[in-house]
Amino acid sequence: MKTSTFALIFGLAYLAAGILGLVPATLTPPPIDAPPTTFAVMYGYLLGLFPVNILHTAVHLAIGVWGIAAWSGRSSSLRYAQSLAVLYGALAVMGLLPLTHTLFGTLPIHGNDVWLHGMTAAIAAYFGWRRPVSASERRALSHDRRRHMMPVPKERRFGLADRREQWGGMASA
């Protein structure tokens, strides 16, 4: 898969997560033991799994739009993947620490968000820093017919109108 395809898939996924975060029906109220945030507008669990609030949803929308822009060529898909790896890797580590698991009271990045951010960072790191596959040309192969091509009149002098025909005349169907 190309890096631009990665940018499109993750851009669409995070854009969809951002749009779902704006729909109150997809949010469940946070449990009693959930860490409090100072920014509690639309604070809840997206699909009952991922803690989000309006700022977290805005970040998802921005990451999604950036991914689609990287896919379309308006920005670099390689830089998108590298930036996503660093950003979401830092968010995954911060989500594990009790002091920063709400990003100082603004964004809830605890619970299931930790493994989601960690997986996003790992996949983005693969696409951001992998070595590009070198495409070799077929013409460089020694057994390629095009390297030692006979002109068409020489091939037809043997009485073959088509290479698929056998020496005895027409090929059987």
Side-chain angles (χ1 to χ4, degrees), residues 18-161:
I19 291 170
L20 283 175
L22 293 174
V23 178
T26 61
L27 299 174
T28 60
I32 302 296
D33 60 343
T37 60
T38 57
F39 207 87
V41 177
M42 294 188 75
Y43 179 42
Y45 278 54
L46 181 64
L47 304 175
L49 297 173
F50 306 105
V52 294
N53 64 3
I54 193 73
L55 291 178
H56 201 149
T57 300
V59 170
H60 284 168
L61 289 171
I63 293 293
V65 168
W66 185 19
I68 293 172
W71 166 74
S72 69
R74 298 196 190 285
S75 68
S76 170
S77 59
L78 186 66
R79 294 287 173 231
Y80 173 74
Q82 291 172 347
S83 301
L84 222 62
V86 172
L87 173 71
Y88 278 105
L91 286 176
V93 171
M94 290 174 74
L96 291 172
L97 303 174
L99 182 64
T100 58
H101 66 276
T102 59
L103 201 61
F104 308 109
T106 57
L107 291 170
I109 54 172
H110 54 82
N112 288 332
D113 273 350
V114 173
W115 65 263
L116 181 66
H117 292 162
M119 283 181 33
T120 299
I123 296 169
Y126 170 75
F127 283 101
W129 285 288
R130 70 177 172 171
R131 290 184 52 181
V133 177
S134 62
S136 61
E137 291 195 30
R138 281 184 47 201
R139 290 182 294 225
L141 302 175
S142 62
H143 63 277
D144 190 8
R145 184 186 63 80
R146 291 178 292 179
R147 286 181 65 91
H148 308 288
M149 187 156 44
M150 295 171 48
V152 173
K154 262 191 168 178
E155 290 178 352
R156 291 203 178 147
R157 74 183 168 109
F158 298 120
L160 300 177

